[in-house]
Amino acid sequence: MGYLADRAEGFPMGMAYSKFARGGVHELSFPYDEVAAVTQGSFTVRSGDRSFRVGPGQMLYMPAGVSAVFEMEEDTVAVGLHHPTFAEAFGQDPHEA
């Protein structure tokens, strides 16, 4: 994951570029509202009793406080935009995390 913009760069929102390897399983909890655009690959999202697939050209909204499991079906690339910034949500600069 690489942060493209955050509070340290003077932006009111955070923007990150993420790459995930095929076969990876990631359990994530979102401390902020995030929208991600998938540019390559696909994955399945499981949250509570819901499950759905996301692929290239699709957007995914993840509200603050939601936990989900992401199962990578292919090597995947996504760009995410979130508010508040990483620094505001976690209390540290994303480049130091």
Side-chain angles (χ1 to χ4, degrees):
M1 178 183 298
Y3 271 85
L4 306 171
D6 204 81
R7 187 171 61 184
E9 290 80 27
F11 292 95
M13 301 178 84
M15 181 187 287
Y17 169 87
S18 303
K19 291 177 80 172
F20 299 97
R22 177 185 181 168
V25 176
H26 308 276
E27 187 170 340
L28 303 172
S29 181
F30 294 88
Y32 38 59
D33 291 319
E34 181 167 346
V35 174
V38 178
T39 60
Q40 174 185 328
S42 64
F43 55 92
T44 296
V45 179
R46 300 185 194 289
S47 182
D49 61 352
R50 297 185 63 205
S51 174
F52 53 92
R53 188 172 185 269
V54 182
Q58 293 184 307
M59 305 279 292
L60 175 64
Y61 170 63
M62 297 150 293
V66 168
S67 294
V69 175
F70 295 75
E71 300 171 350
M72 301 300 139
E73 296 162 6
E74 303 174 63
D75 290 341
T76 300
V77 176
V79 177
L81 186 64
H82 57 83
H83 187 271
T85 64
F86 184 98
E88 292 167 322
F90 292 101
Q92 65 179 5
D93 187 302
H95 306 292
E96 298 170 359

